[in-house]
């Protein structure tokens, strides 16, 4: 019998798990079942999307193998009872790796679809992520899958997975696709590339009579490449500037500002953000101050590890973790917000793109996140409200290292996670 990834994942969420989730979360069993009917294929769909766009099949394979031990009902039961908080935290990290800043919209969509609270949808999604992805990991371990065979497995399962995503869940729109079919096509293209690199084309099958043609083409390519390199080194292009990577860039740009990167900053709409203590902040519409204050004022929106807001006016001096003078205004605004909301507690996260050395990226992202925390303390933020800083390097980067800088900019940012409010 051939392996059915979707059914294997769904089997983990048996009647006992549904009953326990219903009891712990205060939801009907019907609501839990409906939510899970969307959650499992959505998680697997996120894996398909990541596999089709990241170009890092080996990293994804290691990720699912790392949670192979979580693919069992007892792990889910323990998390729901509050005895396995590590599983929910792990789920939060996995979801952020697959969906980035789209996790909150997905939670809201699942909540509306199943008719359950957003907090319940969040807990279910975070708990289900390690178990669902662990199903893939178990199969990969048992069958000793390579990155190429891992992609082939996903390609063989994609039609059933995509077909199982309920029509009421617009996962394609959230992922920026016109349809789920586009997701399948992207994975298919990746799979074709993997097959070719594995040796599907046998060079020995090229007729001997044509080999001289290939030799001539290779010589021509070498000549063109040599000319191109000599021209670049000769300084014929005036005003040439070296391309910066994520370690030497002077700006750790965030995804919010890059979404309007082609528009001059001057065209952004300036607004006044009024805090509960009467303080008035100068900010931009849709900027971190605007979003963060609206979130903290909204009692229906819950804090948690998956709640993040990106700085949109924060810069560092080249190759360092030292904030520029201009950045201190936004840091000061965040300090004022924390003072006005004394119950709020936050964590700072640093992120880079995939270019450069991964170890250096991880170090710099942590140092820059710590620099923001230090500046907040200097602005008299209550230390009890600051839960630390963490650098994630390129762990959650979406764009490939070879992608245009306009795409990679979205992966370089400093973010605020609201853990309590």
């Amino acid at each position: 019998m051939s392996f059915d990834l979707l059914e294997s994942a769904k089997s983990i969420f048996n009647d006992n798990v549904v009953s326990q989730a219903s009891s712990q979360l205060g939801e009907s069993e019907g609501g839990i079942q409906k939510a899970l009917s969307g959650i499992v294929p959505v998680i697997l769909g996120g894996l398909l999307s990541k596999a089709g766009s990241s170009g890092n099949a080996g990293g994804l394979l290691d990720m699912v193998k790392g949670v192979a031990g979580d693919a069992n009902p007892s792990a889910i039961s323990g998390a729901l009872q509050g005895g396995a908080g590590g599983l929910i935290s792990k789920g939060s990290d996995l979801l952020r790796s697959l969906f980035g800043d789209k996790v909150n919209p997905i939670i809201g969509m699942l909540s509306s679809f199943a008719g359950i609270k957003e907090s319940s949808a969040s807990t279910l999604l975070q708990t289900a992520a390690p178990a669902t992805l662990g199903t893939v990991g178990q199969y990969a371990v048992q069958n000793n899958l390579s990155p190429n065979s891992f992609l082939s497995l996903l390609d063989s399962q994609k039609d059933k997975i995509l077909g199982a995503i309920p029509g009421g869940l617009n996962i394609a729109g959230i992922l920026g696709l016109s349809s789920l079919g586009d997701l399948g096509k992207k994975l298919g293209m990746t799979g074709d590339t993997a097959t070719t690199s594995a040796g599907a084309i046998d060079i020995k099958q090229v007729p001997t009579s044509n080999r001289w043609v290939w030799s001539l083409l290779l010589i021509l390519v070498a000549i063109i490449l040599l000319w191109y390199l000599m021209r670049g080194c000769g300084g014929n292009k005036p005003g040439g500037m070296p391309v910066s990577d994520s370690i030497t860039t002077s700006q750790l740009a965030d995804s919010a500002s890059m979404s309007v990167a082609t528009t001059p900053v001057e065209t952004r709409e300036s607004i006044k953000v009024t805090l509960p203590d009467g303080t008035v902040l100068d900010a931009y519409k849709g900027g971190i101050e605007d979003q963060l204050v609206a979130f903290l004022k909204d009692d229906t929106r819950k804090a948690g590890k998956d709640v993040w807001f990106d700085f949109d006016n924060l810069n560092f001096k080249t190759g360092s973790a030292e904030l520029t003078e201009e950045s201190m205004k936004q840091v000061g605004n965040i300090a004022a917000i924390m003072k006005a909301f004394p119950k709020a507690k936050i964590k700072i996260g640093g992120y880079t793109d995939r270019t450069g050395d991964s170890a250096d990226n991880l170090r710099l992202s942590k140092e820059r996140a710590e620099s923001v925390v230090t500046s907040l303390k200097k602005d008299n933020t209550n230390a009890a409200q600051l839960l630390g800083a963490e650098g994630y390097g390129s762990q959650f980067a979406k764009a490939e290292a070879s992608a245009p800088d306009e795409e990679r900019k979205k992966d370089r940012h400093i973010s605020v996670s609201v853990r309590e409010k």
Side-chain angles (χ1 to χ4, degrees):
M1 181 180 296
S2 60
F3 177 65
D4 190 323
L5 174 55
L6 181 64
E7 292 304 319
S8 295
K10 288 167 62 177
S11 68
I12 299 173
F13 303 93
N14 55 33
D15 291 342
N16 288 335
V17 169
V18 171
S19 177
Q20 187 174 28
S22 172
S23 175
Q24 293 291 329
L25 300 177
E27 305 285 359
S28 68
E29 291 192 8
I32 298 295
Q33 289 175 332
K34 188 171 183 180
L36 289 172
S37 73
I39 285 174
V40 174
V42 162
I43 292 171
L44 292 176
L47 180 62
L48 294 177
S49 177
K50 193 74 171 179
S53 62
S54 70
N56 186 23
L60 287 177
L61 178 58
D62 290 340
M63 181 182 77
V64 298
K65 288 166 68 175
V67 290
D70 296 319
N72 61 82
S74 61
I76 300 172
S77 296
L80 290 172
Q81 290 176 342
L87 185 69
I88 293 180
S89 176
K90 188 186 299 182
S92 177
D93 290 339
L94 290 169
L95 291 169
R96 192 163 172 81
S97 178
L98 293 181
F99 299 110
D101 59 0
K102 303 299 190 297
V103 175
N104 278 343
I106 290 174
I107 290 172
M109 184 177 61
L110 287 167
S111 172
S112 298
F113 167 72
I116 61 176
K117 300 186 294 288
E118 282 199 12
S119 59
S120 299
S122 177
T123 299
L124 281 176
L125 186 62
Q126 292 174 6
T127 305
T132 302
L133 296 175
T135 304
V136 190
Q138 283 185 352
Y139 183 84
V141 171
Q142 293 167 0
N143 293 272
N144 195 28
L145 295 187
S146 66
N148 282 341
S149 55
F150 169 63
L151 288 179
S152 296
L153 168 68
L154 295 181
D155 191 47
S156 70
Q157 304 284 321
K158 71 175 185 290
D159 290 340
K160 183 166 185 179
I161 292 171
L162 299 180
I165 296 177
L169 298 178
N170 184 23
I171 189 67
I174 286 180
L175 295 177
L177 304 173
S178 59
S179 70
L180 288 175
D182 290 344
L183 190 156
K185 291 176 184 177
K186 287 171 63 179
L187 181 63
M189 291 169 62
T190 304
D192 292 341
T193 302
T195 303
T196 301
S197 65
I201 299 176
D202 189 352
I203 195 67
K204 292 187 291 186
Q205 294 177 358
V206 178
T208 305
S209 60
N210 290 335
R211 286 180 182 172
W212 69 271
V213 177
W214 292 103
S215 299
L216 180 60
L217 287 174
L218 288 173
I219 292 172
L220 288 173
V221 170
I223 292 173
I224 292 172
L225 180 60
L226 180 61
W227 172 82
Y228 177 80
L229 291 173
M230 292 179 66
R231 186 170 181 262
C233 294
N236 293 331
K237 187 175 181 180
M241 294 293 291
V243 177
S244 300
D245 64 17
S246 58
I247 292 302
T248 59
T249 185
S250 61
Q251 179 178 8
L252 200 60
D254 70 281
S255 55
S257 64
M258 286 308 105
S259 64
V260 290
T262 58
T263 303
V265 172
E266 288 76 14
T267 64
R268 296 180 68 184
E269 181 180 348
S270 296
I271 62 172
K272 300 289 186 180
V273 177
T274 303
L275 304 181
D277 61 3
T279 302
V280 179
L281 306 178
D282 291 320
Y284 290 113
K285 186 174 182 179
I288 188 171
E289 296 94 339
D290 188 18
Q291 294 186 53
L292 184 56
V293 172
F295 174 80
L296 291 172
K297 286 182 176 180
D298 189 346
D299 293 335
T300 67
R301 301 171 67 184
K302 304 301 181 183
K305 294 182 178 180
D306 56 345
V307 178
W308 292 84
F309 300 91
D310 297 335
F311 280 92
D312 55 297
N313 194 22
L314 195 73
N315 301 297
F316 295 87
K317 294 184 179 180
T318 304
S320 78
E322 184 179 352
L323 285 161
T324 63
E325 189 65 32
E326 295 78 9
S327 300
M328 301 314 296
K329 178 179 179 180
Q330 187 154 83
V331 173
N333 283 350
I334 300 302
I337 291 172
M338 297 305 294
K339 181 179 179 181
F341 294 90
K343 292 183 179 180
K345 294 184 179 181
I346 62 173
K347 179 179 179 180
I348 305 298
Y351 305 82
T352 70
D353 62 22
R354 294 182 186 275
T355 59
D357 181 78
S358 59
D360 287 341
N361 284 343
L362 186 64
R363 172 189 57 77
L364 185 63
S365 65
K366 179 175 176 60
E367 290 177 353
R368 287 181 166 177
E370 290 174 340
S371 178
V372 173
V373 170
T374 299
S375 295
L376 286 170
K377 289 180 178 178
K378 288 181 179 179
D379 272 338
N380 299 317
T381 302
N382 185 348
Q385 292 181 271
L386 301 173
L387 303 181
E390 187 166 354
Y392 300 98
S394 59
Q395 179 181 352
F396 300 109
K398 294 181 180 180
E400 298 180 25
S402 58
D405 190 58
E406 284 301 308
E407 294 182 27
R408 290 187 286 107
K409 282 180 182 179
K410 300 175 184 179
D411 292 326
R412 304 194 297 262
H413 54 96
I414 296 290
S415 303
V416 173
S417 174
V418 182
R419 300 303 174 91
E420 295 182 27
K421 59 182 287 193

